[in-house]
Amino acid sequence: MGKRNRRGFDFGDFEITKREILASISIIAVMLLIGAMISAKISQHQMDKNEIYNKAVKIETQELFQYGMDTNVGNAFVFGDLKAVDTVTYPEIGGEYMSVKKVKERYTRHTRTVTKTRTVNGKSQTYTETEVYWTWDAIDRWSEHCSKVSFLGIEFDYGQIYKPSEHHIDTQKESSHIRYVYYGSDTEYTGTIFTSLKDKTINNTEFYNGKNIEETVKYLESGVGVIIFWIFWILLTGGCVFGFYYIDNKWLE
């Protein structure tokens, strides 16, 4: 804790004067005012989006899904299974995947300079030395994905709905310093899309994996954006105040 004196508080590296404390209150007030204005805009944007979500059609059958695209029904939540129509793989790993990636890695020697501390004759000294370490570094990569997927029984191009994340499948060594690492995605997912049904297809589509329609609507209406903004803004305000305290503010004297 800083030591208090007549002028303010002494923290060793810097001193906070009473005038700086008074000035910082103004900084905080201005930042809170700006934050409130931005937050109000975020909230209004969220309310506008919520209205769109509440008016969107909710679909769970193939017939209604196709009808919605044919008749330009507009915004819709559609729940169903997303499946790879044609699957991909690499012969050396087998299996079937919606997408697959192969990464060639080399076991590479690196050096870095590190600072260490030692005690000599009762005194602490710092010194540097070169440290050697090894890592597997990617030197080449390849990828494949299916050409078509189906959602609720209707076919679309790959990526038009969802590009799933890939998980580790296998690692195969060619030698002590070369290996191949394989990643792939599943062939089937269940979830909800929020999309615009028009021109006999889907547009501006987001896929919410593992969520039904009710869960998706609740997630989108959660208003988490305002919470994230205020966490960021409070941290930014604290940083501004600390920076103000840290600099030399002789102009206040």
Side-chain angles (χ1 to χ4, degrees):
M1 181 178 291
K3 183 180 179 181
R4 186 170 183 176
N5 56 40
R6 290 182 180 180
R7 297 181 59 199
F9 297 89
D10 187 359
F11 288 88
D13 292 339
F14 65 98
E15 179 184 340
I16 301 177
T17 67
K18 292 179 180 179
R19 290 185 179 181
E20 285 178 325
I21 293 173
L22 292 174
S24 69
I25 294 173
S26 298
I27 294 174
I28 294 172
V30 171
M31 291 294 288
L32 289 177
L33 178 62
I34 296 173
M37 294 171 61
I38 298 174
S39 177
K41 290 186 177 293
I42 295 174
S43 296
Q44 184 60 51
H45 176 73
Q46 183 65 52
M47 290 174 62
D48 293 342
K49 296 291 288 184
N50 289 351
E51 184 177 359
I52 294 174
Y53 300 144
N54 290 325
K55 290 181 178 180
V57 178
K58 298 173 176 60
I59 298 173
E60 296 189 23
T61 66
Q62 180 180 338
E63 292 75 15
L64 285 177
F65 187 27
Q66 185 65 61
Y67 178 78
M69 291 187 289
D70 292 340
T71 57
N72 300 328
V73 75
N75 294 321
F77 288 99
V78 188
F79 175 76
D81 293 329
L82 176 67
K83 301 179 181 180
V85 175
D86 54 307
T87 59
V88 292
T89 189
Y90 288 108
E92 58 267 34
I93 59 172
E96 296 181 336
Y97 307 96
M98 188 176 290
S99 64
V100 68
K101 179 171 63 179
K102 176 181 178 180
V103 181
K104 183 178 182 180
E105 297 181 342
R106 177 188 290 126
Y107 199 48
T108 309
R109 183 181 184 273
H110 303 276
T111 60
R112 59 190 171 197
T113 301
V114 295
T115 301
K116 296 185 177 181
T117 303
R118 62 190 172 193
T119 302
V120 179
N121 297 326
K123 295 183 179 181
S124 180
Q125 295 181 347
T126 59
Y127 66 100
T128 60
E129 65 178 30
T130 301
E131 183 178 89
V132 176
Y133 66 100
W134 295 76
T135 59
W136 286 101
D137 299 336
I139 58 174
D140 208 348
R141 62 185 68 230
W142 305 264
S143 62
E144 301 283 346
H145 61 73
C146 64
S147 59
K148 294 288 184 179
V149 297
S150 70
F151 184 73
L152 204 58
I154 299 174
E155 289 191 11
F156 301 95
D157 292 335
Y158 173 82
Q160 196 172 353
I161 294 179
Y162 180 54
K163 292 183 179 180
S165 58
E166 296 165 335
H167 54 83
H168 177 260
I169 299 170
D170 193 17
T171 299
Q172 297 181 5
K173 281 195 172 184
E174 180 182 284
S175 65
S176 60
H177 284 67
I178 296 293
R179 71 180 185 182
Y180 295 89
V181 186
Y182 299 86
Y183 304 88
S185 58
D186 297 334
T187 59
E188 183 175 342
Y189 299 85
T190 299
T192 297
I193 62 172
F194 178 67
T195 186
S196 175
L197 305 180
K198 62 181 180 180
D199 301 327
K200 299 186 182 300
T201 188
I202 54 177
N203 303 270
N204 304 319
T205 304
E206 292 289 338
F207 181 78
Y208 298 91
N209 186 30
K211 288 183 170 60
N212 59 32
I213 293 177
E214 182 180 347
E215 291 169 337
T216 302
V217 174
K218 185 176 180 180
Y219 170 76
L220 291 173
E221 293 182 341
S222 64
V224 68
V226 175
I227 297 173
I228 293 174
F229 165 75
W230 274 114
I231 292 173
F232 163 77
W233 198 252
I234 289 171
L235 292 174
L236 178 63
T237 301
C240 290
V241 172
F242 178 80
F244 175 73
Y245 286 152
Y246 195 78
I247 63 176
D248 188 2
N249 295 298
K250 291 183 177 180
W251 58 276
L252 287 172
E253 299 178 4

